[in-house]
Amino acid sequence: MSLFDRISIKRSLLLIALLSNGAGVILLSAVLGIGEWATYRERAATMLTAYAGVVAGNIAPALLFEDDKAAREVLGRLIVEPSIVHATLLDHNGKVVARLATGHDAMLARPALNTHLFMDDQIVLAREVRHEGDLLGSLYLQSDLRGAHRELLGKLALIGGAMSLALAFSLFLFVRLQRTISEPLDDLSAAMIRVTRDGDYEGRVAAGGGEEIRALARGFNTMLDAIGERERTLAEHRADLEKTVRLRTEELRELNSSLEQRVREEAGKSREKDHLLIRQSRLATLGEMIGNIAHQWRQPLNALGLLLTNLKDAQRFGELDQAHVEAAVEQGRHLIDSMSATIDDFRNLFKPDRDKTCFTVAAAVREALSVVWISLKNANIEVVLESDESVACEGFFNEYTHVMLNILGNARDAIRARGIMYGKVTIRIGTEDGRAVVAIRDNGGGIPEAVIERIFDPYFTTRENGTGIGLYMSLMIIEKNMGGAIAVRNIDGGAEFRILTPLAKEIPA
Amino acid sequence: MALLTGRLPPLRLPCGAAWAFALVLALAMEPAAAQGRTVSGEYELKAAFIYRIAGFIEWPRKSADTPLRLCVLGGNPFGTALEALRSKTVQGRRLELVYPESIDPLRDCHLLFVSPAAEKHLDRVIALSRDAGIFTIGDGAGHARRGIMLNFYLDGDRVRFEMNLEAVRRSGLVVSSKLLSLARIVDASPFGSQP
C-alpha cells in the first residue's frame, strides 16, 4: 500500500504537484546554475575576445597611419569596461604604442597571439591587429574575473529566488485549481457514504469538476435514480406480495377450516358407516351365536328335563327325601349356572371395547374356540392349537376374537361345503418381525385364484346366504383399528389366514 | 552577448570635444607646414600612406579587372618610393601609376596627388575632380580648405592628414569612417568645422 493510497485525493494531488513542480524547479535551477557556473569563465573569455576584436578593428587604422594619439584614444575607451584592468598595444616591431592600466600596471603574462589563458581570477588575452591581411601589431587585454564571479553568484541567487517564487506561485495556483477536481470528488464520496450508510437514495450530486468527474457524477445520479426507482418498485412489489400472501393465507385458512370440517364430517360419516357395518356383522353373527347357545343349552336343558323326571319318579316311589331333593336342586342350579355362564360369555363377546387393552393371543383364540367348538365338533372338524402362551398383543380383545370367529366360521363352512369327512383346522400362534402372528390353516380346498384378490372387499361373498361383511370387517378391525395386517394364501389342500398385530408393550397379568 | 554589446562604446564617432581639440591643434600647426619644413623619409611615408588610404575609399564604378589609376601631377616628389607600389593591389585591383603632363587626362584618374609643384593648377584640378569620382590628395598648407579632399601636413615629426568632408561628399566617393576618424577635419566654410 503506497502513501498515495492512504491519503485523500486532495492531498495526493497536492503532493504530486509539490513533488513534480519541486522536482522540475530544482532540476531547472540545477541545470541553469550548473550551466552558468560551467560557462562563466568561457563567457568572460568570449566577451574579452569580442572586445579585443572590436578594439583591434578600430585601432588598426591608427597603427596603419602610425597615429599613436588615435591609438591611445581607442584603447582608452576600454575604460568603460571595469573588468578590463590592463590593455597594451604593440606595433609590429614589438614597441609599445599605447597602454591602459586601471588595476594592474603590467600584464600578468603574454599568451601567444589569438589565445587566452586564465591565471587565478584573471584572464589574459592576446589579439593580433591586422589590416587587409597585413600584421600591424598586437593587442593584449587583461580582465578581472571577480566581477563576473560576483555577477554569477547574483545570477544564481536570482535563479533560485525566481524558481522558488515560481514554485510557490504554481502551488498557490494548484491549491486553488485542484478544488475543481477534489471538491466534486468529495461531494461524490459524501453522497456515496450517505447512500451506503443511511440508504438515502434521494440525494443527488452536483455535476461539477472535470469532464470525467461530471460523467461520474451523472452516472452516479443515474444510478441513484435507477436504484431509487427499483427500491420503490420493490417496495410496491413487496407490499403487493405481502397483501397477496395475506389474502392467500386467509383463503387457505378458510379452506383449511372448511376442509377440517369436511374431514370431520366425512370421518364421522365413515365412522357411522363402520358402525353400521359392525352392527350388521354382529347381527349376522348374532343369529349364529343364538344357534350356538341353542346347541350348548340343548344338553343342560335335557339334563334339567331328566332331573325333573327323576324328581317326579322319586316322589312316586316315595324316595323323595331331603337329601334327594337337595342333590337334585344342587344339580339343577349347577346346570342353570352353566347356562347362565354361556349367556354371559356371548354377551361379553358382543360388548364393544372402549379402550385398547393388552391380552394374550392364546386367550382370544380360546375365547373364540369356546364359542364355535360345538359347531366344529358337529361338523367333525379337528382343531389343533399350537400355542405360544407368552405372545401378547395390544388392541381390542372382543373385536380380535370376533375376527377369529369369522375365520374359523369360514373354515368350517368351507369344509362342510366341500363335504370333507375329516376336517382339520390348525391354529399356530407365534411372533414374526416383532409382531404377534396367528396362522389359521384349514383343509377346506382353498380359495379360487380368481376371487382371492377380492375376498376382503365389502359385500363380496361366495356363499348364497353370505353377507360379504365378515372378512371386510376383519380387515377393518385388524388394519384400521389395531394397526396390524391380515393376509390370505392358498396352501396344499386349503387356505391359510395370517393375522399380524403389534406386540404388547407389557405382558398382561 | 546582448548584454555585452549594449556596453560597447561608440568607437567610430568621437565626441565633440575631441573634434574641437583637433581643430585647435590643426590651426596651431598650420604655420609650421607653411614653412615647408621636411622630415627625413617624409615622402616614403606619404607614399605608403597614399597606398594605405586607397584601401579606405570606395569608388562608384567597381570593376575588379580594371587597374586603379594613381596620378601624380606636377612632378614626382616621392623619388622611387612610389615605384614600390607598382606591384601592389588595392581592393583586388592592380595599382597603376600615371604622371600626366596636362590637366585633361586627369579625368581617368582614381587617385590624384597634386604635388606642391602643381599648386598653381589647384583650383582647376579641384573643379575638374568635382563630381568626377577622383579622390584628390594635396600636399600643401590650406589645400584641404581650398577643396582638396585629403591633405598631408606635419605634426612635429609625424605625417598627418586633414580632410575636407564637403569635398568628399561632393565627389560621390565613399570614404571609410576609420580613415575619417584619423584625419583632422577642415571645413570649406570660414565658420569652422561641421560635425
Side-chain angles (χ1 to χ4, degrees), chain A residues 47 58 64 66 68 77, chain B residues 4 8 11 49 52 158 182:
Chain A
M47 189 191 78
N58 281 311
L64 198 61
E66 301 177 3
D68 297 355
R77 288 173 200 152
Chain B
L4 299 180
L8 273 181
L11 290 179
F49 274 22
R52 289 169 186 177
R158 291 178 174 271
L182 296 174

Side-chain angles (χ1 to χ4, degrees), chain A residues 76-97:
Chain A
R77 288 173 200 152
L78 280 173
I79 205 162
V80 301
E81 175 51 51
S83 71
I84 295 175
V85 293
H86 192 100
T88 301
L89 179 69
L90 305 179
D91 67 7
H92 65 282
N93 294 321
K95 190 167 74 73
V96 173
V97 178

Side-chain angles (χ1 to χ4, degrees), chain B residues 76-149:
Chain B
N76 180 9
F78 300 101
T80 58
L82 273 184
E83 296 305 313
L85 302 179
R86 277 191 185 276
S87 59
K88 297 204 170 184
T89 58
V90 175
Q91 298 169 11
R93 300 166 80 174
R94 192 166 56 80
L95 201 63
E96 187 181 75
L97 280 176
V98 182
Y99 302 94
E101 296 299 324
S102 62
I103 301 295
D104 292 339
L106 296 181
R107 291 184 181 281
D108 298 331
C109 295
H110 295 105
L111 288 159
L112 172 60
F113 178 77
V114 184
S115 65
E119 193 175 353
K120 57 183 182 292
H121 302 298
L122 201 61
D123 291 335
R124 283 184 64 194
V125 167
I126 289 165
L128 184 81
S129 66
R130 183 176 295 171
D131 303 328
I134 305 169
F135 189 80
T136 51
I137 303 170
D139 190 21
H143 285 191
R145 193 169 295 277
R146 286 170 66 180
I148 289 292
M149 296 177 194

Side-chain angles (χ1 to χ4, degrees), chain A residues 351-400:
Chain A
K351 195 157 63 183
D353 297 312
R354 290 281 166 237
D355 298 307
K356 280 185 175 179
T357 54
C358 287
F359 55 91
T360 58
V361 175
V365 169
R366 287 211 177 82
E367 178 71 23
L369 281 175
S370 73
V371 172
V372 294
W373 75 270
I374 290 193
S375 61
L376 291 175
K377 196 181 168 190
N378 289 347
N380 197 26
I381 295 169
E382 180 196 3
V383 175
V384 178
L385 179 61
E386 299 173 5
S387 174
D388 181 349
E389 298 294 330
S390 69
V391 175
C393 75
E394 191 174 11
F396 305 104
F397 179 84
N398 284 346
E399 290 178 8
Y400 189 81

Side-chain angles (χ1 to χ4, degrees), chain A residues 26 154 192 220 266 396 461 467:
Chain A
I26 288 170
M192 195 81 79
F220 187 72
E266 289 301 321
F396 305 104
T461 183
T467 58

